[in-house]
């Protein structure tokens, strides 16, 4: 287990949350767009005094039957950013998503900002570069992104301090971003009544996910938590994506305080074998490991995505 006494990254993140909760620093404004086609929340977080903003996990619309990309979801984000007069400094990915394609390059073209992800994306690029037999032109060094963050990094959105926590388990590269009192945990935990993210993708690990979740839940209880996805838990009719660290500690159906690591791992592994592959996993991985760019066009000018066929 991580020695909490020595967990400087967690201490720094805790300090940032506490300062915002105590009113010593400004709390950010968070506005969320929820994509019902992929169950994904795109969050726009900004400093209300100087309008600096970050966009977290933006969604590109993609129809897998036709291979057609469209931008209705991203255009809604652009309209909001312009209407609010925001200056986008960052386009932040919590991880290389398997359920939607990233709109980060499209948003960067329209609004500016730097595209960032976790430094362990290079591991994801190694794994999926091999799966998709991408060839020598594909670099496995994360250089498709403008910036790679590591655990403990500190950055700012306007004058609001933000901290990076590496929270692997769902994938090897997952990050949580702590922005003032707002925490964006990526695919680790979901709403308390839905539970936690799957841990069966290549490089995923239920035990590692448990430890990442335990670490996140040591942040101050009043921290606002803005989730990456929601799937409506049984008995709930509305999508929801905001809760608090305290509510997760008290009531997360998979990982509340008191659930042991072994019990979590047994539950998670038993559940994961019942889950089908996400509808957009094959296109998503190929695009998202390239920072949201499609593979280069072939000599006829068309871009292609591959389907590795199995069981032939
Ligand atoms: Fe994910």
């Amino acid at each position: 287990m991580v020695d909490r006494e020595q967990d400087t990254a967690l201490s720094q993140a805790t300090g940032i949350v506490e300062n915002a909760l105590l009113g010593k620093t400004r709390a950010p404004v968070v506005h969320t767009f929820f994509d019902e086609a992929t169950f994904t929340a795109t969050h726009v977080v900004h400093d209300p005094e100087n309008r600096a903003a970050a966009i977290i996990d933006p969604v590109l619309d993609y129809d897998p039957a036709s291979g057609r990309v469209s931008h209705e979801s991203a255009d809604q984000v652009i309209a909001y950013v312009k209407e609010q007069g925001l200056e986008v400094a960052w386009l932040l990915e919590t991880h290389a998503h398997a359920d939607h394609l990233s709109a980060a390059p499209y948003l960067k073209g329209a609004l500016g900002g730097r595209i960032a992800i976790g430094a362990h994306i290079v591991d994801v690029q190694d794994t999926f570069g091999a799966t998709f037999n991408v060839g020598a032109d594909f670099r496995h060094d994360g250089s498709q992104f403008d910036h790679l963050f590591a655990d403990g990094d500190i950055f700012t959105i306007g004058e609001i301090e933000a901290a990076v926590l590496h929270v692997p388990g769902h994938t090897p590269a997952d990050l949580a971003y702590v922005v003032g009192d707002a925490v964006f945990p990526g695919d680790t935990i979901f709403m308390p009544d839905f539970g936690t993210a799957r841990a069966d993708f290549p490089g995923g690990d239920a035990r590692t996910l448990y430890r990442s979740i335990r670490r996140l839940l040591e942040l101050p209880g009043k921290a606002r938590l803005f989730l990456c996805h929601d799937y409506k838990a049984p008995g709930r009719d509305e999508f929801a994506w905001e809760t608090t660290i305290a509510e997760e500690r008290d009531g997360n159906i998979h990982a509340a305080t008191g659930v042991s690591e072994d019990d979590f791992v047994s539950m998670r592994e038993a559940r994961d074998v019942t889950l089908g592959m996400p509808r957009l996993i094959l296109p998503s991985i190929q695009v998202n490991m390239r920072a949201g760019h499609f593979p280069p066009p072939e000599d006829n000018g068309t871009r292609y995505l591959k389907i590795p066929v199995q069981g032939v």
Side-chain angles (χ1 to χ4, degrees):
M1 293 290 288
V2 175
D3 181 348
R4 302 299 180 209
E5 298 290 307
Q6 317 252 314
D7 192 341
T8 329
L10 183 64
S11 305
Q12 287 184 133
T14 299
I16 288 172
V17 172
E18 281 172 350
N19 284 339
L21 289 173
L22 292 169
K24 291 183 184 169
T25 55
R26 279 197 292 282
V29 173
V30 180
H31 186 81
T32 300
F33 296 83
F34 192 80
D35 177 41
E36 295 195 10
T38 64
F39 308 101
T40 303
T42 294
H43 305 291
V44 183
V45 51
H46 78 262
D47 179 337
E49 288 296 312
N50 64 23
R51 319 307 290 168
I55 301 172
I56 302 177
D57 292 335
V59 173
L60 185 71
D61 302 314
Y62 179 72
D63 174 28
S66 62
R68 179 161 295 280
V69 164
S70 57
H71 302 102
E72 290 84 359
S73 298
D75 286 342
Q76 286 176 22
V77 175
I78 293 171
Y80 169 78
V81 165
K82 290 189 170 165
E83 173 196 297
Q84 295 288 318
L86 307 182
E87 288 282 332
V88 175
W90 292 101
L91 297 149
L92 303 174
E93 301 287 0
T94 55
H95 63 296
H97 306 273
D99 45 38
H100 69 272
L101 283 65
S102 169
Y106 180 75
L107 292 175
K108 180 178 171 175
L111 301 169
R114 301 174 72 203
I115 303 175
I117 201 164
H120 287 273
I121 188 65
V122 297
D123 302 332
V124 175
Q125 290 178 324
D126 277 344
T127 301
F128 289 108
T131 303
F132 291 102
N133 193 26
V134 286
D137 291 345
F138 177 72
R139 296 185 304 278
H140 296 222
D141 58 1
S143 58
Q144 300 87 346
F145 296 83
D146 298 314
H147 189 76
L148 300 181
F149 280 119
D151 189 61
D153 283 350
I154 301 286
F155 64 108
T156 56
I157 298 170
E159 290 173 13
I160 297 181
E161 268 201 307
V164 175
L165 295 174
H166 180 215
V167 286
H170 171 65
T171 79
D174 278 63
L175 296 184
Y177 296 103
V178 177
V179 183
D181 68 325
V183 180
F184 302 88
D187 279 12
T188 50
I189 40 180
F190 296 136
M191 288 300 283
D193 59 2
F194 194 83
T196 57
R198 66 195 297 173
D200 60 334
F201 293 149
D205 180 72
R207 204 163 286 282
T208 308
L209 179 62
Y210 179 88
R211 292 174 188 185
S212 291
I213 290 171
R214 281 283 158 270
R215 190 173 183 225
L216 276 173
L217 295 186
E218 290 202 20
L219 288 166
K222 287 186 176 156
R224 295 179 287 161
L225 197 56
F226 294 90
L227 306 177
C228 195
H229 297 292
D230 187 56
Y231 306 92
K232 287 181 184 167
R236 173 154 59 79
D237 292 333
E238 302 292 322
F239 289 109
W241 49 80
E242 182 178 350
T243 181
T244 64
I245 292 287
E247 284 169 356
E248 294 283 15
R249 276 187 215 143
D250 292 346
N252 187 288
I253 58 163
H254 296 165
T257 303
V259 175
S260 75
E261 184 169 315
D262 286 344
D263 285 349
F264 176 82
V265 170
S266 305
M267 175 286 303
R268 192 64 265 169
E269 290 180 347
R271 182 172 160 82
D272 285 350
V273 295
T274 70
L275 301 176
M277 282 294 111
R279 190 172 61 98
L280 295 180
I281 188 168
L282 295 173
S284 297
I285 294 291
Q286 290 174 80
V287 168
N288 295 339
M289 71 179 182
R290 294 177 164 92
H293 296 286
F294 282 76
E298 296 195 3
D299 55 11
N300 63 356
T302 303
R303 297 173 193 270
Y304 292 87
L305 294 168
K306 289 184 179 178
I307 299 176
V309 178
Q310 300 180 60
V312 181

